Amino acid sequence: MKLIVAPDYAGICEKAADIFAAEIHRNPACVLGLATGSTPVGLYQALIRRYQEGALDFSKVQTFNLDEYCGLAGDHPQSYRYFMQKNLFDHVNIPLEHTYIPSGIADDPEQECRRYDALIESCGGIDIQLLGIGHNGHIGFNEPDDHFPVGSHLTRLAESTIQANSRFFASESEVPTHAITMGAGSILKAKKILLMASGEGKAEILCRSMTGPVTPFVPASVLQLHRDVVILADEAAASLIRKQIQPSDE
Ligand code: PGA
């Protein structure tokens, strides 16, 4: 595991954009695993800026998002499909048909999960998976539980996640209670994993996930089992973990 510390949020976004840009230059047809939430927004802005400057070409890139709320169609303003269109896809030259997100309105969510896993396989797997981290240690919507789910699955959101995400909805009761998410196993299959964390509020869970025991009750702890994980944290989020893991000079 490599820890890269930047002074602030803008710094981690630029470093994450450097890593994504290097991958796209190395392999223009790479497969990127993408995430939603507040943390990746600055990375997406940096990628859009680099595209507008002519430094990035997304025409052959394919993307798979981690998760989608159940019950929200892609044109719902709080769906993750809508989020990705507004925050990235509408602003770069990625073909719509190269962007994959589970359907939140599939009649049979279990079948949708199997379809999604098969699609990831058929594209050759994910080259870089981007992750944020929830205050309870969730990655994607893999919430604390007594086991690590392997593949994509239907999950019930933790109460703390519903409360945290209610900031994007008119009221807490409007937050969907279920989601489809890639499993911990799907995430571990990615060739490289990039986890971004910003702010003091993430310091404790980041440290616990990366230096504590590997347990499904702290889902991000499973990342300790992957051989190519880069943690990109700003000074505030890194304040505890850097006492235990030496930051890289990069
Ligand atoms: P955030 O969410 O980026 O909005 O903090 C992270 C997460 O819940 O995975």
Side-chain angles (χ1 to χ4, degrees), residues 36-40 131-135 138-141 161 165 167-168 196 202:
T36 52
S38 307
T39 310
L131 297 175
I133 183 167
H135 290 100
H138 73 203
I139 46 175
F141 275 132
T161 300
N165 292 4
R167 68 191 195 276
F168 301 114
M196 296 174 74
K202 297 287 173 73

PDB file of all heavy atoms in Angstrom, residues 36-40 131-135 138-141 161 165 167-168 196 202, ligand 1:
ATOM      1  N   THR A  36     -18.845   7.882  -6.984  1.00  0.00           N
ATOM      2  CA  THR A  36     -19.615   9.118  -6.816  1.00  0.00           C
ATOM      3  C   THR A  36     -19.364   9.650  -5.405  1.00  0.00           C
ATOM      4  O   THR A  36     -18.448   9.204  -4.730  1.00  0.00           O
ATOM      5  CB  THR A  36     -21.113   8.843  -7.057  1.00  0.00           C
ATOM      6  OG1 THR A  36     -21.488   7.732  -6.239  1.00  0.00           O
ATOM      7  CG2 THR A  36     -21.394   8.528  -8.510  1.00  0.00           C
ATOM      8  N   GLY A  37     -20.176  10.606  -4.954  1.00  0.00           N
ATOM      9  CA  GLY A  37     -19.931  11.250  -3.657  1.00  0.00           C
ATOM     10  C   GLY A  37     -19.192  12.557  -3.865  1.00  0.00           C
ATOM     11  O   GLY A  37     -18.863  12.931  -5.003  1.00  0.00           O
ATOM     12  N   SER A  38     -18.917  13.256  -2.777  1.00  0.00           N
ATOM     13  CA  SER A  38     -18.276  14.573  -2.885  1.00  0.00           C
ATOM     14  C   SER A  38     -16.805  14.457  -3.262  1.00  0.00           C
ATOM     15  O   SER A  38     -16.269  15.301  -3.978  1.00  0.00           O
ATOM     16  CB  SER A  38     -18.341  15.311  -1.549  1.00  0.00           C
ATOM     17  OG  SER A  38     -19.660  15.340  -1.098  1.00  0.00           O
ATOM     18  N   THR A  39     -16.149  13.418  -2.768  1.00  0.00           N
ATOM     19  CA  THR A  39     -14.687  13.357  -2.894  1.00  0.00           C
ATOM     20  C   THR A  39     -14.185  13.354  -4.346  1.00  0.00           C
ATOM     21  O   THR A  39     -13.222  14.067  -4.642  1.00  0.00           O
ATOM     22  CB  THR A  39     -14.144  12.131  -2.117  1.00  0.00           C
ATOM     23  OG1 THR A  39     -14.715  12.153  -0.799  1.00  0.00           O
ATOM     24  CG2 THR A  39     -12.637  12.177  -2.011  1.00  0.00           C
ATOM     25  N   PRO A  40     -14.793  12.591  -5.270  1.00  0.00           N
ATOM     26  CA  PRO A  40     -14.217  12.553  -6.612  1.00  0.00           C
ATOM     27  C   PRO A  40     -14.517  13.776  -7.490  1.00  0.00           C
ATOM     28  O   PRO A  40     -13.948  13.896  -8.576  1.00  0.00           O
ATOM     29  CB  PRO A  40     -14.839  11.318  -7.259  1.00  0.00           C
ATOM     30  CG  PRO A  40     -15.756  10.720  -6.283  1.00  0.00           C
ATOM     31  CD  PRO A  40     -15.917  11.636  -5.141  1.00  0.00           C
ATOM     32  N   LEU A 131     -11.932   4.887  -5.457  1.00  0.00           N
ATOM     33  CA  LEU A 131     -12.814   4.714  -4.295  1.00  0.00           C
ATOM     34  C   LEU A 131     -12.793   5.963  -3.421  1.00  0.00           C
ATOM     35  O   LEU A 131     -11.748   6.613  -3.291  1.00  0.00           O
ATOM     36  CB  LEU A 131     -12.327   3.556  -3.414  1.00  0.00           C
ATOM     37  CG  LEU A 131     -12.301   2.143  -3.988  1.00  0.00           C
ATOM     38  CD1 LEU A 131     -11.656   1.200  -2.971  1.00  0.00           C
ATOM     39  CD2 LEU A 131     -13.704   1.671  -4.335  1.00  0.00           C
ATOM     40  N   GLY A 132     -13.938   6.254  -2.804  1.00  0.00           N
ATOM     41  CA  GLY A 132     -13.966   7.131  -1.642  1.00  0.00           C
ATOM     42  C   GLY A 132     -14.096   6.212  -0.433  1.00  0.00           C
ATOM     43  O   GLY A 132     -14.079   4.980  -0.565  1.00  0.00           O
ATOM     44  N   ILE A 133     -14.240   6.777   0.732  1.00  0.00           N
ATOM     45  CA  ILE A 133     -14.460   5.937   1.920  1.00  0.00           C
ATOM     46  C   ILE A 133     -15.530   6.593   2.780  1.00  0.00           C
ATOM     47  O   ILE A 133     -15.495   7.818   2.997  1.00  0.00           O
ATOM     48  CB  ILE A 133     -13.136   5.717   2.697  1.00  0.00           C
ATOM     49  CG1 ILE A 133     -13.356   4.778   3.905  1.00  0.00           C
ATOM     50  CG2 ILE A 133     -12.487   7.023   3.129  1.00  0.00           C
ATOM     51  CD1 ILE A 133     -12.046   4.272   4.519  1.00  0.00           C
ATOM     52  N   GLY A 134     -16.500   5.790   3.203  1.00  0.00           N
ATOM     53  CA  GLY A 134     -17.553   6.328   4.075  1.00  0.00           C
ATOM     54  C   GLY A 134     -17.048   6.441   5.511  1.00  0.00           C
ATOM     55  O   GLY A 134     -16.045   5.809   5.881  1.00  0.00           O
ATOM     56  N   HIS A 135     -17.746   7.213   6.315  1.00  0.00           N
ATOM     57  CA  HIS A 135     -17.336   7.359   7.720  1.00  0.00           C
ATOM     58  C   HIS A 135     -17.394   6.032   8.471  1.00  0.00           C
ATOM     59  O   HIS A 135     -16.731   5.860   9.484  1.00  0.00           O
ATOM     60  CB  HIS A 135     -18.209   8.417   8.423  1.00  0.00           C
ATOM     61  CG  HIS A 135     -17.920   9.800   7.933  1.00  0.00           C
ATOM     62  ND1 HIS A 135     -18.707  10.447   7.017  1.00  0.00           N
ATOM     63  CD2 HIS A 135     -16.900  10.641   8.219  1.00  0.00           C
ATOM     64  CE1 HIS A 135     -18.182  11.637   6.756  1.00  0.00           C
ATOM     65  NE2 HIS A 135     -17.095  11.779   7.469  1.00  0.00           N
ATOM     66  N   HIS A 138     -17.339   2.157   4.626  1.00  0.00           N
ATOM     67  CA  HIS A 138     -17.856   1.502   3.420  1.00  0.00           C
ATOM     68  C   HIS A 138     -17.060   1.920   2.191  1.00  0.00           C
ATOM     69  O   HIS A 138     -16.522   3.016   2.125  1.00  0.00           O
ATOM     70  CB  HIS A 138     -19.375   1.704   3.243  1.00  0.00           C
ATOM     71  CG  HIS A 138     -19.816   3.058   2.820  1.00  0.00           C
ATOM     72  ND1 HIS A 138     -21.086   3.541   3.052  1.00  0.00           N
ATOM     73  CD2 HIS A 138     -19.185   4.057   2.175  1.00  0.00           C
ATOM     74  CE1 HIS A 138     -21.202   4.749   2.557  1.00  0.00           C
ATOM     75  NE2 HIS A 138     -20.061   5.084   2.023  1.00  0.00           N
ATOM     76  N   ILE A 139     -16.986   0.991   1.237  1.00  0.00           N
ATOM     77  CA  ILE A 139     -16.432   1.280  -0.084  1.00  0.00           C
ATOM     78  C   ILE A 139     -17.498   0.853  -1.083  1.00  0.00           C
ATOM     79  O   ILE A 139     -18.052  -0.228  -0.960  1.00  0.00           O
ATOM     80  CB  ILE A 139     -15.070   0.581  -0.337  1.00  0.00           C
ATOM     81  CG1 ILE A 139     -15.097  -0.880   0.099  1.00  0.00           C
ATOM     82  CG2 ILE A 139     -13.945   1.343   0.339  1.00  0.00           C
ATOM     83  CD1 ILE A 139     -13.815  -1.656  -0.227  1.00  0.00           C
ATOM     84  N   GLY A 140     -17.778   1.705  -2.089  1.00  0.00           N
ATOM     85  CA  GLY A 140     -19.015   1.521  -2.833  1.00  0.00           C
ATOM     86  C   GLY A 140     -20.114   1.563  -1.787  1.00  0.00           C
ATOM     87  O   GLY A 140     -20.078   2.370  -0.850  1.00  0.00           O
ATOM     88  N   PHE A 141     -21.084   0.667  -1.902  1.00  0.00           N
ATOM     89  CA  PHE A 141     -22.089   0.541  -0.843  1.00  0.00           C
ATOM     90  C   PHE A 141     -21.905  -0.788  -0.099  1.00  0.00           C
ATOM     91  O   PHE A 141     -22.864  -1.411   0.327  1.00  0.00           O
ATOM     92  CB  PHE A 141     -23.502   0.667  -1.389  1.00  0.00           C
ATOM     93  CG  PHE A 141     -23.980   2.102  -1.524  1.00  0.00           C
ATOM     94  CD1 PHE A 141     -24.580   2.534  -2.693  1.00  0.00           C
ATOM     95  CD2 PHE A 141     -23.854   3.007  -0.475  1.00  0.00           C
ATOM     96  CE1 PHE A 141     -25.038   3.843  -2.827  1.00  0.00           C
ATOM     97  CE2 PHE A 141     -24.297   4.314  -0.593  1.00  0.00           C
ATOM     98  CZ  PHE A 141     -24.897   4.740  -1.771  1.00  0.00           C
ATOM     99  N   THR A 161     -25.300   5.868   6.586  1.00  0.00           N
ATOM    100  CA  THR A 161     -25.117   6.247   5.180  1.00  0.00           C
ATOM    101  C   THR A 161     -26.342   7.029   4.703  1.00  0.00           C
ATOM    102  O   THR A 161     -26.216   8.045   4.005  1.00  0.00           O
ATOM    103  CB  THR A 161     -24.920   4.977   4.315  1.00  0.00           C
ATOM    104  OG1 THR A 161     -23.770   4.289   4.788  1.00  0.00           O
ATOM    105  CG2 THR A 161     -24.765   5.324   2.851  1.00  0.00           C
ATOM    106  N   ASN A 165     -26.085  10.766   3.333  1.00  0.00           N
ATOM    107  CA  ASN A 165     -26.467  11.092   1.964  1.00  0.00           C
ATOM    108  C   ASN A 165     -27.742  11.920   1.885  1.00  0.00           C
ATOM    109  O   ASN A 165     -28.098  12.423   0.823  1.00  0.00           O
ATOM    110  CB  ASN A 165     -26.601   9.811   1.146  1.00  0.00           C
ATOM    111  CG  ASN A 165     -25.249   9.146   0.935  1.00  0.00           C
ATOM    112  OD1 ASN A 165     -24.242   9.612   1.464  1.00  0.00           O
ATOM    113  ND2 ASN A 165     -25.214   8.081   0.172  1.00  0.00           N
ATOM    114  N   ARG A 167     -28.084  14.755   2.754  1.00  0.00           N
ATOM    115  CA  ARG A 167     -27.757  16.140   2.396  1.00  0.00           C
ATOM    116  C   ARG A 167     -28.036  16.428   0.914  1.00  0.00           C
ATOM    117  O   ARG A 167     -28.163  17.576   0.524  1.00  0.00           O
ATOM    118  CB  ARG A 167     -26.307  16.478   2.754  1.00  0.00           C
ATOM    119  CG  ARG A 167     -25.225  15.760   1.952  1.00  0.00           C
ATOM    120  CD  ARG A 167     -23.855  16.008   2.618  1.00  0.00           C
ATOM    121  NE  ARG A 167     -22.700  15.693   1.803  1.00  0.00           N
ATOM    122  CZ  ARG A 167     -22.160  14.474   1.668  1.00  0.00           C
ATOM    123  NH1 ARG A 167     -22.711  13.444   2.275  1.00  0.00           N
ATOM    124  NH2 ARG A 167     -21.080  14.297   0.928  1.00  0.00           N
ATOM    125  N   PHE A 168     -28.121  15.379   0.104  1.00  0.00           N
ATOM    126  CA  PHE A 168     -28.383  15.581  -1.324  1.00  0.00           C
ATOM    127  C   PHE A 168     -29.873  15.497  -1.652  1.00  0.00           C
ATOM    128  O   PHE A 168     -30.275  15.731  -2.784  1.00  0.00           O
ATOM    129  CB  PHE A 168     -27.636  14.536  -2.143  1.00  0.00           C
ATOM    130  CG  PHE A 168     -26.138  14.572  -1.936  1.00  0.00           C
ATOM    131  CD1 PHE A 168     -25.474  13.514  -1.334  1.00  0.00           C
ATOM    132  CD2 PHE A 168     -25.401  15.680  -2.339  1.00  0.00           C
ATOM    133  CE1 PHE A 168     -24.103  13.557  -1.140  1.00  0.00           C
ATOM    134  CE2 PHE A 168     -24.024  15.730  -2.159  1.00  0.00           C
ATOM    135  CZ  PHE A 168     -23.373  14.673  -1.544  1.00  0.00           C
ATOM    136  N   MET A 196      -9.331   7.925  -2.482  1.00  0.00           N
ATOM    137  CA  MET A 196      -9.161   9.341  -2.136  1.00  0.00           C
ATOM    138  C   MET A 196      -9.866   9.631  -0.811  1.00  0.00           C
ATOM    139  O   MET A 196     -11.012   9.215  -0.607  1.00  0.00           O
ATOM    140  CB  MET A 196      -9.782  10.241  -3.209  1.00  0.00           C
ATOM    141  CG  MET A 196      -9.115  10.149  -4.576  1.00  0.00           C
ATOM    142  SD  MET A 196     -10.048  11.122  -5.791  1.00  0.00           S
ATOM    143  CE  MET A 196      -9.599  12.787  -5.317  1.00  0.00           C
ATOM    144  N   LYS A 202     -12.372  12.077   7.963  1.00  0.00           N
ATOM    145  CA  LYS A 202     -12.027  10.753   7.412  1.00  0.00           C
ATOM    146  C   LYS A 202     -10.758  10.186   8.052  1.00  0.00           C
ATOM    147  O   LYS A 202     -10.370   9.052   7.776  1.00  0.00           O
ATOM    148  CB  LYS A 202     -11.847  10.848   5.886  1.00  0.00           C
ATOM    149  CG  LYS A 202     -13.093  11.259   5.119  1.00  0.00           C
ATOM    150  CD  LYS A 202     -14.117  10.139   5.075  1.00  0.00           C
ATOM    151  CE  LYS A 202     -15.442  10.554   4.473  1.00  0.00           C
ATOM    152  NZ  LYS A 202     -15.431  10.741   3.049  1.00  0.00           N
TER     153      LYS A 202
HETATM  154  P1  PGA B   1     -18.013  11.352   0.211  1.00  0.00           P
HETATM  155  O1  PGA B   1     -18.532   9.871   0.317  1.00  0.00           O
HETATM  156  O2  PGA B   1     -17.004  11.361  -0.892  1.00  0.00           O
HETATM  157  O3  PGA B   1     -19.229  12.153  -0.123  1.00  0.00           O
HETATM  158  O4  PGA B   1     -17.396  11.678   1.532  1.00  0.00           O
HETATM  159  C1  PGA B   1     -17.627   8.825   0.326  1.00  0.00           C
HETATM  160  C2  PGA B   1     -18.363   7.530   0.416  1.00  0.00           C
HETATM  161  O5  PGA B   1     -19.417   7.476   1.075  1.00  0.00           O
HETATM  162  O6  PGA B   1     -17.883   6.554  -0.168  1.00  0.00           O
END
